[in-house]
Amino acid sequence: MTSLPPLMWLQAFEAAARTLSFTAAGRELGVTQAAISQRIRLLEDRLGQKLFVRHPRSLTLTPAGQAWLPSIHDAFTRIAEGTTEVFGTTPESPVTLRTTPVMQQSWLAPRLLAFHRQHPAVAVRLVSAIWPDDFGPEGADLEIRYGRGDWSDVDCVSLGDERMRPACAPSLAERLDGPVDLAGHTLLHAVGFAVGWPTWLEQAGVAGIERQCPALTCDNQVMTLALASQGGGVALTHHRLLENRHDLVAPFDLAVPSMESFWLVRPKRRQSREEASLLWEWLVGSVADSDA
């Protein structure tokens, strides 16, 4: 054990690597940004390698940091699970639900508010994630993941088949009579999905028209939908994310099916707390109600 770095340094690394922000890590751990920075520097000195690349306004992990992070995540998760197994959970600990920001805003928000109104005593903590590697560690009670539902370590409930369709501001939709009218308009791309603009345009019979369109590419759908809602172009999005939105419309009927979709998941390896099971059942029930 003497060869291990101090726990405070490991906590600082895990929080900073997860948030990619010394400031956010400091808020989470109740210390200053300077304290996090110092702990990371001491940790890097101890290991003899840099863990972060410091940019003027952001952080990225070095290859060494990326390789080490899963081990740190797993270690903290196992400590938390072992503590729960031996000592149980504290009644006031919140139910942690992790999902992408766009699912939080578009699909989860109205359902979570309805749950809170009926169960105000159940505290819920939301954690944001974007990429597949953001999911799995850290010990969330529940997650909403995107993929094919082929994860072996979790119970999965599908939120329904997924389809991708264009979305834009109503004022722009009025000028789009058919897919060919997309020529010259900005296409907003969100990376990381099996069905993208080239697939949709091919299905619409206008393959290659994207070469006539300016493009903006984002790493998440929150930004593409925000740009689209402000008239900045046409986004390709999941049909369910247009629910309850009045600032976006689908200008065309065509929606292309995707092999990937959203799934409600929870770990198999530990028994769910009563509060977590209550939220799980509520969300599963809301899916059944929407399909009815």
Side-chain angles (χ1 to χ4, degrees), residues 7 10 72-87:
L7 180 60
L10 298 179
I72 300 300
H73 270 151
D74 290 345
F76 279 123
T77 298
R78 185 62 196 121
I79 291 171
E81 291 175 347
T83 303
T84 299
E85 289 168 4
V86 175
F87 301 104

Side-chain angles (χ1 to χ4, degrees), residues 188-205:
L188 303 169
H189 300 259
V191 299
F193 300 105
V195 176
W197 270 115
T199 302
W200 190 91
L201 293 170
E202 182 179 2
Q203 293 277 331

